[in-house]
Amino acid sequence: MHTRAAVRVIVGLAAGASTDVTARIVGQKMAALGQSFVGRENRPGAGGNIATAFVAHAPADGYTLLFGSAPSR
């Protein structure tokens, strides 16, 4: 079953970063598969904590997703 509700993808890095580009590609594929609108927002700052806090306080309906990256070590 596919939803037609809007999905929000929150990116914890600045626009143009590799994570942002990947989130754009994934969002386009999600929209094509689910036929629903996928909105992408960049909320950079504090090492991704601003975006994480935003998603943590979003309604628990499954329509707000966090897209981030892990540091390489």
Side-chain angles (χ1 to χ4, degrees):
M1 182 169 123
H2 296 289
T3 179
R4 293 198 183 271
V7 176
R8 296 172 74 185
V9 177
I10 310 300
V11 182
L13 296 165
S18 61
T19 302
D20 175 60
V21 173
T22 305
R24 290 173 191 258
I25 294 168
V26 170
Q28 289 173 349
K29 296 292 184 183
M30 287 172 57
L33 291 172
Q35 299 177 350
S36 63
F37 175 75
V38 177
R40 186 195 42 75
E41 296 179 36
N42 293 82
R43 293 188 176 257
N49 288 330
I50 293 173
T52 303
F54 179 81
V55 172
H57 291 97
D61 57 8
Y63 293 107
T64 304
L65 308 175
L66 177 65
F67 204 98
S69 64
S72 59
R73 295 185 187 224

mmCIF file of all heavy atoms in Angstrom, residues 31-61:
data_model
loop_
_atom_site.group_PDB
_atom_site.id
_atom_site.type_symbol
_atom_site.label_atom_id
_atom_site.label_comp_id
_atom_site.label_asym_id
_atom_site.label_seq_id
_atom_site.Cartn_x
_atom_site.Cartn_y
_atom_site.Cartn_z
ATOM 1 N N ALA A 31 9.664 9.448 -4.134
ATOM 2 C CA ALA A 31 8.482 10.074 -4.722
ATOM 3 C C ALA A 31 7.988 9.274 -5.925
ATOM 4 O O ALA A 31 6.784 9.088 -6.107
ATOM 5 C CB ALA A 31 8.798 11.505 -5.127
ATOM 6 N N ALA A 32 8.923 8.789 -6.737
ATOM 7 C CA ALA A 32 8.541 8.012 -7.920
ATOM 8 C C ALA A 32 7.897 6.684 -7.535
ATOM 9 O O ALA A 32 6.929 6.252 -8.147
ATOM 10 C CB ALA A 32 9.766 7.769 -8.796
ATOM 11 N N LEU A 33 8.414 6.052 -6.504
ATOM 12 C CA LEU A 33 7.884 4.755 -6.082
ATOM 13 C C LEU A 33 6.558 4.877 -5.348
ATOM 14 O O LEU A 33 5.653 4.079 -5.543
ATOM 15 C CB LEU A 33 8.889 4.026 -5.194
ATOM 16 C CG LEU A 33 10.163 3.538 -5.888
ATOM 17 C CD1 LEU A 33 11.146 3.006 -4.854
ATOM 18 C CD2 LEU A 33 9.838 2.476 -6.909
ATOM 19 N N GLY A 34 6.462 5.855 -4.488
ATOM 20 C CA GLY A 34 5.276 5.988 -3.655
ATOM 21 C C GLY A 34 4.244 6.948 -4.194
ATOM 22 O O GLY A 34 3.164 7.073 -3.640
ATOM 23 N N GLN A 35 4.563 7.664 -5.257
ATOM 24 C CA GLN A 35 3.678 8.652 -5.848
ATOM 25 C C GLN A 35 3.198 9.679 -4.833
ATOM 26 O O GLN A 35 2.077 10.149 -4.899
ATOM 27 C CB GLN A 35 2.504 7.973 -6.539
ATOM 28 C CG GLN A 35 2.908 7.060 -7.656
ATOM 29 C CD GLN A 35 1.719 6.357 -8.272
ATOM 30 O OE1 GLN A 35 0.612 6.418 -7.752
ATOM 31 N NE2 GLN A 35 1.941 5.685 -9.371
ATOM 32 N N SER A 36 4.036 9.985 -3.858
ATOM 33 C CA SER A 36 3.689 11.010 -2.877
ATOM 34 C C SER A 36 4.737 12.108 -2.941
ATOM 35 O O SER A 36 5.831 11.915 -3.440
ATOM 36 C CB SER A 36 3.629 10.427 -1.465
ATOM 37 O OG SER A 36 4.892 9.946 -1.085
ATOM 38 N N PHE A 37 4.388 13.264 -2.437
ATOM 39 C CA PHE A 37 5.315 14.381 -2.425
ATOM 40 C C PHE A 37 6.386 14.150 -1.368
ATOM 41 O O PHE A 37 6.072 13.776 -0.240
ATOM 42 C CB PHE A 37 4.577 15.689 -2.126
ATOM 43 C CG PHE A 37 5.496 16.866 -1.982
ATOM 44 C CD1 PHE A 37 6.075 17.430 -3.089
ATOM 45 C CD2 PHE A 37 5.780 17.381 -0.736
ATOM 46 C CE1 PHE A 37 6.926 18.517 -2.960
ATOM 47 C CE2 PHE A 37 6.628 18.456 -0.605
ATOM 48 C CZ PHE A 37 7.206 19.029 -1.721
ATOM 49 N N VAL A 38 7.628 14.345 -1.737
ATOM 50 C CA VAL A 38 8.728 14.237 -0.782
ATOM 51 C C VAL A 38 9.394 15.593 -0.718
ATOM 52 O O VAL A 38 9.997 16.051 -1.685
ATOM 53 C CB VAL A 38 9.747 13.146 -1.193
ATOM 54 C CG1 VAL A 38 10.907 13.111 -0.222
ATOM 55 C CG2 VAL A 38 9.074 11.787 -1.272
ATOM 56 N N GLY A 39 9.269 16.257 0.434
ATOM 57 C CA GLY A 39 9.906 17.544 0.643
ATOM 58 C C GLY A 39 11.218 17.349 1.379
ATOM 59 O O GLY A 39 11.327 16.499 2.261
ATOM 60 N N ARG A 40 12.230 18.101 0.990
ATOM 61 C CA ARG A 40 13.539 17.990 1.620
ATOM 62 C C ARG A 40 13.888 19.345 2.216
ATOM 63 O O ARG A 40 13.725 20.369 1.577
ATOM 64 C CB ARG A 40 14.583 17.581 0.574
ATOM 65 C CG ARG A 40 15.945 17.301 1.158
ATOM 66 C CD ARG A 40 17.000 17.255 0.066
ATOM 67 N NE ARG A 40 16.851 18.280 -0.939
ATOM 68 C CZ ARG A 40 17.158 19.568 -0.757
ATOM 69 N NH1 ARG A 40 17.621 19.988 0.391
ATOM 70 N NH2 ARG A 40 16.973 20.426 -1.730
ATOM 71 N N GLU A 41 14.344 19.327 3.465
ATOM 72 C CA GLU A 41 14.748 20.551 4.165
ATOM 73 C C GLU A 41 16.146 20.362 4.715
ATOM 74 O O GLU A 41 16.457 19.316 5.277
ATOM 75 C CB GLU A 41 13.826 20.844 5.352
ATOM 76 C CG GLU A 41 12.394 21.127 4.998
ATOM 77 C CD GLU A 41 11.575 21.370 6.257
ATOM 78 O OE1 GLU A 41 12.097 21.961 7.219
ATOM 79 O OE2 GLU A 41 10.410 20.934 6.265
ATOM 80 N N ASN A 42 16.969 21.386 4.571
ATOM 81 C CA ASN A 42 18.298 21.374 5.183
ATOM 82 C C ASN A 42 18.219 22.138 6.493
ATOM 83 O O ASN A 42 17.710 23.252 6.531
ATOM 84 C CB ASN A 42 19.325 22.029 4.260
ATOM 85 C CG ASN A 42 19.555 21.219 3.011
ATOM 86 O OD1 ASN A 42 18.793 21.309 2.065
ATOM 87 N ND2 ASN A 42 20.566 20.409 3.030
ATOM 88 N N ARG A 43 18.709 21.508 7.547
ATOM 89 C CA ARG A 43 18.787 22.146 8.869
ATOM 90 C C ARG A 43 20.188 21.895 9.421
ATOM 91 O O ARG A 43 20.370 21.093 10.326
ATOM 92 C CB ARG A 43 17.709 21.602 9.800
ATOM 93 C CG ARG A 43 16.320 21.997 9.331
ATOM 94 C CD ARG A 43 15.276 21.640 10.346
ATOM 95 N NE ARG A 43 13.991 22.118 9.910
ATOM 96 C CZ ARG A 43 13.391 23.207 10.403
ATOM 97 N NH1 ARG A 43 13.963 23.906 11.342
ATOM 98 N NH2 ARG A 43 12.216 23.568 9.949
ATOM 99 N N PRO A 44 21.168 22.582 8.839
ATOM 100 C CA PRO A 44 22.553 22.355 9.265
ATOM 101 C C PRO A 44 22.858 23.013 10.609
ATOM 102 O O PRO A 44 22.146 23.915 11.046
ATOM 103 C CB PRO A 44 23.364 23.002 8.149
ATOM 104 C CG PRO A 44 22.491 24.102 7.650
ATOM 105 C CD PRO A 44 21.084 23.575 7.770
ATOM 106 N N GLY A 45 23.915 22.546 11.221
ATOM 107 C CA GLY A 45 24.397 23.158 12.450
ATOM 108 C C GLY A 45 24.534 22.176 13.590
ATOM 109 O O GLY A 45 23.833 21.167 13.659
ATOM 110 N N ALA A 46 25.470 22.478 14.454
ATOM 111 C CA ALA A 46 25.713 21.715 15.683
ATOM 112 C C ALA A 46 25.979 20.238 15.398
ATOM 113 O O ALA A 46 25.538 19.366 16.137
ATOM 114 C CB ALA A 46 24.566 21.883 16.667
ATOM 115 N N GLY A 47 26.678 19.967 14.309
ATOM 116 C CA GLY A 47 27.041 18.589 13.993
ATOM 117 C C GLY A 47 25.849 17.686 13.721
ATOM 118 O O GLY A 47 25.896 16.493 13.983
ATOM 119 N N GLY A 48 24.767 18.254 13.199
ATOM 120 C CA GLY A 48 23.566 17.477 12.908
ATOM 121 C C GLY A 48 22.555 17.452 14.040
ATOM 122 O O GLY A 48 21.457 16.908 13.894
ATOM 123 N N ASN A 49 22.899 18.040 15.176
ATOM 124 C CA ASN A 49 21.995 18.007 16.339
ATOM 125 C C ASN A 49 20.731 18.833 16.140
ATOM 126 O O ASN A 49 19.685 18.499 16.696
ATOM 127 C CB ASN A 49 22.721 18.473 17.603
ATOM 128 C CG ASN A 49 23.722 17.450 18.076
ATOM 129 O OD1 ASN A 49 23.544 16.255 17.870
ATOM 130 N ND2 ASN A 49 24.790 17.911 18.704
ATOM 131 N N ILE A 50 20.814 19.908 15.361
ATOM 132 C CA ILE A 50 19.623 20.732 15.113
ATOM 133 C C ILE A 50 18.591 19.926 14.333
ATOM 134 O O ILE A 50 17.407 19.899 14.677
ATOM 135 C CB ILE A 50 20.005 22.030 14.377
ATOM 136 C CG1 ILE A 50 20.840 22.910 15.305
ATOM 137 C CG2 ILE A 50 18.778 22.769 13.871
ATOM 138 C CD1 ILE A 50 21.422 24.143 14.655
ATOM 139 N N ALA A 51 19.045 19.249 13.294
ATOM 140 C CA ALA A 51 18.136 18.418 12.496
ATOM 141 C C ALA A 51 17.594 17.257 13.321
ATOM 142 O O ALA A 51 16.406 16.922 13.239
ATOM 143 C CB ALA A 51 18.856 17.894 11.254
ATOM 144 N N THR A 52 18.451 16.648 14.115
ATOM 145 C CA THR A 52 18.026 15.521 14.948
ATOM 146 C C THR A 52 16.962 15.949 15.953
ATOM 147 O O THR A 52 15.954 15.252 16.140
ATOM 148 C CB THR A 52 19.237 14.910 15.679
ATOM 149 O OG1 THR A 52 20.202 14.510 14.703
ATOM 150 C CG2 THR A 52 18.839 13.720 16.518
ATOM 151 N N ALA A 53 17.152 17.095 16.593
ATOM 152 C CA ALA A 53 16.167 17.593 17.552
ATOM 153 C C ALA A 53 14.847 17.917 16.860
ATOM 154 O O ALA A 53 13.769 17.645 17.397
ATOM 155 C CB ALA A 53 16.704 18.831 18.268
ATOM 156 N N PHE A 54 14.928 18.483 15.651
ATOM 157 C CA PHE A 54 13.716 18.802 14.903
ATOM 158 C C PHE A 54 12.909 17.538 14.621
ATOM 159 O O PHE A 54 11.702 17.498 14.831
ATOM 160 C CB PHE A 54 14.078 19.504 13.587
ATOM 161 C CG PHE A 54 12.885 19.842 12.755
ATOM 162 C CD1 PHE A 54 12.142 20.980 13.028
ATOM 163 C CD2 PHE A 54 12.496 19.027 11.707
ATOM 164 C CE1 PHE A 54 11.023 21.287 12.265
ATOM 165 C CE2 PHE A 54 11.387 19.322 10.947
ATOM 166 C CZ PHE A 54 10.644 20.460 11.221
ATOM 167 N N VAL A 55 13.587 16.492 14.151
ATOM 168 C CA VAL A 55 12.900 15.231 13.837
ATOM 169 C C VAL A 55 12.389 14.561 15.114
ATOM 170 O O VAL A 55 11.292 14.001 15.131
ATOM 171 C CB VAL A 55 13.827 14.291 13.042
ATOM 172 C CG1 VAL A 55 13.208 12.912 12.866
ATOM 173 C CG2 VAL A 55 14.149 14.900 11.686
ATOM 174 N N ALA A 56 13.148 14.646 16.189
ATOM 175 C CA ALA A 56 12.733 14.026 17.449
ATOM 176 C C ALA A 56 11.444 14.647 17.987
ATOM 177 O O ALA A 56 10.657 13.964 18.644
ATOM 178 C CB ALA A 56 13.846 14.147 18.484
ATOM 179 N N HIS A 57 11.224 15.936 17.697
ATOM 180 C CA HIS A 57 10.031 16.619 18.188
ATOM 181 C C HIS A 57 8.907 16.656 17.157
ATOM 182 O O HIS A 57 7.848 17.239 17.424
ATOM 183 C CB HIS A 57 10.383 18.028 18.644
ATOM 184 C CG HIS A 57 11.228 18.024 19.880
ATOM 185 N ND1 HIS A 57 12.594 18.135 19.845
ATOM 186 C CD2 HIS A 57 10.901 17.877 21.181
ATOM 187 C CE1 HIS A 57 13.073 18.065 21.076
ATOM 188 N NE2 HIS A 57 12.055 17.904 21.916
ATOM 189 N N ALA A 58 9.105 16.066 16.007
ATOM 190 C CA ALA A 58 8.053 15.999 14.980
ATOM 191 C C ALA A 58 7.015 14.965 15.406
ATOM 192 O O ALA A 58 7.306 14.070 16.198
ATOM 193 C CB ALA A 58 8.668 15.620 13.636
ATOM 194 N N PRO A 59 5.812 15.071 14.874
ATOM 195 C CA PRO A 59 4.789 14.060 15.192
ATOM 196 C C PRO A 59 5.279 12.653 14.844
ATOM 197 O O PRO A 59 5.951 12.461 13.833
ATOM 198 C CB PRO A 59 3.606 14.454 14.312
ATOM 199 C CG PRO A 59 3.810 15.910 14.021
ATOM 200 C CD PRO A 59 5.293 16.116 13.991
ATOM 201 N N ALA A 60 4.952 11.702 15.674
ATOM 202 C CA ALA A 60 5.407 10.319 15.476
ATOM 203 C C ALA A 60 4.491 9.588 14.509
ATOM 204 O O ALA A 60 3.900 8.561 14.824
ATOM 205 C CB ALA A 60 5.460 9.600 16.817
ATOM 206 N N ASP A 61 4.391 10.129 13.286
ATOM 207 C CA ASP A 61 3.505 9.530 12.292
ATOM 208 C C ASP A 61 4.263 8.826 11.168
ATOM 209 O O ASP A 61 3.655 8.264 10.271
ATOM 210 C CB ASP A 61 2.581 10.593 11.707
ATOM 211 C CG ASP A 61 3.341 11.756 11.095
ATOM 212 O OD1 ASP A 61 4.577 11.687 10.975
ATOM 213 O OD2 ASP A 61 2.686 12.756 10.732
#
